[in-house]
Amino acid sequence: MSPQERRASVSLALVFAFRMLGLFMVLPVLATYGQQLEGATPLLIGMAIGAYGLTQAFLQIPFGMLSDRVGRKPVIVVGLLLFAAGGLLAAGADNIQQVIAGRILQGAGAIAAAVMALVADSTREQHRTKAMAMIGMSIGLAFAVAMVAGPVVARLAGLGGVFMSTSVLALVGIALVLLVVPTPQQTQRHRDAGIVGGALWPAISNPELLRLNYGIACLHAILMATFLAIPLALAREAGLPKEEHWWVYLAALLLSFFGMVPFIIYAERQRQMKRVLLGAVALLALVQPLFWLTEHSLPWLVTCIILFFVGFNLLEATLPSLLSKIAPAGGKGTAMGVYSTSQFAGAALGGMFGGWLFAHFGLGGVFVGCGLLALSWLAIGVTMREPPYVTSYRLAVSPERVQDAGLAASLLAVAGVTDVVIVADEAAAYLKVDSKLLDREALDRVAAPV
């Protein structure tokens, strides 16, 4: 990477991390601290937990397309301003309805697609995978920090202080975008990082992608519903004061990280992605009734939380990799947009689902409902095919070569290339390649000017 590419990648990873940190800091504290708000009920607290997903789901794809027209940075800055405004609205709330409104406004800052597109604009093809990996790592790290930081900040400054912190993080993100993130010389439409209208229907109608979209919706619905119940189980049933919940999440996340790494390595190196995915979903389904049966014992409850995070983090890391393998050539960015929309819709529905179950059936009802949701995902996942072990690859092609009618056939003849889409307007070919078999020298020869 050049110094400018490193600067762009690191600063955009931080922008993404600060926003995700702000979203997730609320997750471990809202169920316990939110009960002090006027008008709070289990259903409304559940809605507050997942409300950000509602606007995020609706605006994710439109904001990505808007960034193609007006530029990446303006969309990102406006999105972060909306996020900061939502945090301020919720920070000053004395009733649960205002917190819900603040969370909805936070979700309106749907900048993920614009950030990914800016990463693509700011990096060369050979370094783009590294830049995207930095974004992925920043999301995982932000989630882990949020699980610990949320209870710590709430102990010091209350629920309002948590929301105020999210606004401060958004303002820091704006400063990074305006002062640190380099402005690319030109904005291009990258089909592997951005959303293309013509690729939307294939992304929605592909049966294998539909299974993934259902899976990520279930995963985040389970996350939101479970985190309505876990803080209450720790405080009410196991007797752990809410101010001390941070150490449970810290221990669980650290241990779950070491627990999931061998399975990720096994899935990729041994090409056993389906087996590992189904095993993680089965673990989620199993741990939910265990939550219910052991909620009165702190050691057992902590053990169940560790197992939950092993399954959750494993799926959170595996599903995007699986999507990259399944998405058609030239359609990865659009497929990721639909996937993200499904994720946030699942979060919104999961909060309401958990709140309704808790109101009618108590904590046990939440855990059983989440277990049944995981079983429905497992039943659908069993029917998936083993994915092709390929990656997306964008190949720049000279303007004269891209007009050659035989270019696609020539590229498909290269060892390791399984799918090709030629985009003349971009002077590029989008490929699906098996990296173990790919003959890169032959690929460069085919793309070179005649």
Side-chain angles (χ1 to χ4, degrees), residues 190-194 196-210 212-213 320-339 385 387-388 390-394 412 417-423 429-433:
H190 300 267
R191 288 173 173 246
D192 281 344
V196 181
L200 199 53
W201 176 246
I204 294 172
S205 59
N206 184 308
E208 296 299 318
L209 291 176
L210 277 173
L212 286 189
N213 295 334
S321 175
L322 195 54
L323 180 139
S324 180
K325 292 172 172 54
I326 294 172
K332 178 184 171 184
T334 306
M336 184 59 75
V338 176
Y339 171 91
R385 295 179 300 197
V390 294
T391 57
S392 299
Y393 189 88
R394 184 180 185 273
L412 280 171
V417 177
T418 63
D419 192 13
V420 175
V421 170
I422 308 295
V423 183
Y430 290 88
L431 316 175
K432 304 293 287 191
V433 302

Side-chain angles (χ1 to χ4, degrees), residues 299-355:
W300 277 108
L301 196 53
V302 172
T303 301
C304 289
I305 294 172
I306 293 170
L307 292 175
F308 174 82
F309 276 124
V310 169
F312 175 82
N313 290 333
L314 184 54
L315 289 164
E316 193 78 351
T318 302
L319 287 172
S321 175
L322 195 54
L323 180 139
S324 180
K325 292 172 172 54
I326 294 172
K332 178 184 171 184
T334 306
M336 184 59 75
V338 176
Y339 171 91
S340 297
T341 298
S342 304
Q343 171 184 325
F344 295 122
L349 293 173
M352 291 185 284
F353 177 63

Side-chain angles (χ1 to χ4, degrees), residues 13-158:
L14 287 173
V15 169
F16 216 114
F18 287 149
R19 183 175 173 279
M20 299 308 293
L21 181 59
L23 279 176
F24 286 122
M25 278 177 67
V26 180
L27 193 57
V29 299
L30 196 49
T32 48
Y33 287 83
Q35 295 180 45
Q36 303 164 6
L37 295 166
E38 181 184 339
T41 66
L43 178 60
L44 292 178
I45 289 175
M47 288 180 65
I49 288 174
Y52 77 93
L54 191 64
T55 40
Q56 191 97 332
F58 279 113
L59 296 175
Q60 185 75 18
I61 291 176
F63 267 39
M65 291 181 168
L66 183 63
S67 74
D68 289 333
R69 294 178 176 272
V70 303
R72 317 297 188 202
K73 284 192 173 184
V75 169
I76 296 171
V77 169
V78 169
L80 290 172
L81 285 172
L82 288 171
F83 187 82
L88 290 175
L89 178 61
D94 56 9
N95 61 74
I96 191 65
Q97 290 82 3
Q98 191 173 335
V99 170
I100 293 172
R103 291 287 275 173
I104 289 173
L105 187 55
Q106 282 187 316
I111 62 169
V115 171
M116 292 298 189
L118 185 53
V119 171
D121 290 338
S122 305
T123 53
R124 289 167 291 170
E125 183 66 37
Q126 61 266 36
H127 299 300
R128 196 159 298 140
T129 300
K130 286 183 264 185
M132 295 298 183
M134 288 183 189
I135 297 286
M137 287 187 289
S138 75
I139 295 171
L141 182 60
F143 179 78
V145 172
M147 290 294 101
V148 178
V152 171
V153 174
R155 179 180 184 176
L156 297 174

